[in-house]
Amino acid sequence: MNPRQVADYMFNQDYFSQWMNIKMIEVKENYCLLEMPIKKDMINGLKTVHGGVTFAFADSALAFSSNSTGDAAVALNCIINFTRAGKEGDVFRAESILVNDTRKTAVYDIKITNQNNDLIAKFVGTVYKIGKKVTEL
């Protein structure tokens, strides 16, 4: 399978990413660009996007990019810095780029922006390569 086919295979089983209404704009080896509209049920008590939603969006980008070769990888450590609050009606984009790759781990930088290209969050995710194919899980 090519990277887009792997991502589609995963997405079809990923009901949470489907609930978030994630759209895959581009998927290639060790990279993805996703888009997600901010819905009313993603808003917290301060009328901004719940941090868990932003984290989950970045985590989905990490998953689709780090598994794009067909070799399964799972999150080992993730760090997020929130830089700006999102609002209902925003459209978030997540771009995940491989920055370091070893035999058993890889590190990805994920940038979350809104429709105005304002930085919403910066996420760094480390994955562990489990030695199985995505389709074996």
Side-chain angles (χ1 to χ4, degrees), residues 18-78:
Q18 291 175 36
W19 173 81
M20 289 193 297
N21 211 15
I22 289 175
K23 303 286 184 274
M24 285 186 263
I25 306 302
E26 184 177 3
V27 180
K28 42 189 189 184
E29 193 168 309
N30 298 310
Y31 173 89
C32 77
L33 178 63
L34 308 178
E35 198 169 85
M36 176 184 72
I38 300 303
K39 308 181 287 187
K40 183 177 183 176
D41 50 355
M42 296 174 165
I43 301 301
N44 65 23
L46 299 177
K47 299 180 186 171
T48 61
V49 177
H50 192 287
V53 170
T54 305
F55 187 99
F57 183 45
D59 186 53
S60 289
L62 176 64
F64 294 128
S65 58
S66 67
N67 287 279
S68 62
T69 63
D71 296 317
V74 295
L76 187 61
N77 184 53
C78 300

Side-chain angles (χ1 to χ4, degrees), residues 36-130:
M36 176 184 72
I38 300 303
K39 308 181 287 187
K40 183 177 183 176
D41 50 355
M42 296 174 165
I43 301 301
N44 65 23
L46 299 177
K47 299 180 186 171
T48 61
V49 177
H50 192 287
V53 170
T54 305
F55 187 99
F57 183 45
D59 186 53
S60 289
L62 176 64
F64 294 128
S65 58
S66 67
N67 287 279
S68 62
T69 63
D71 296 317
V74 295
L76 187 61
N77 184 53
C78 300
I79 299 168
I80 192 167
N81 287 293
F82 301 101
T83 57
R84 180 181 293 244
K87 303 281 187 188
E88 183 180 354
D90 280 351
V91 177
F92 281 8
R93 284 190 139 204
E95 183 177 40
S96 179
I97 299 171
L98 176 69
V99 294
N100 188 60
D101 194 20
T102 71
R103 186 175 53 81
K104 292 303 282 180
T105 64
V107 178
Y108 289 79
D109 277 344
I110 293 110
K111 184 171 72 168
I112 308 291
T113 56
N114 66 11
Q115 67 279 359
N116 300 319
N117 208 32
D118 298 321
L119 184 65
I120 299 295
K122 181 73 168 44
F123 179 104
V124 177
T126 302
V127 296
Y128 177 74
K129 300 171 190 177
I130 64 173

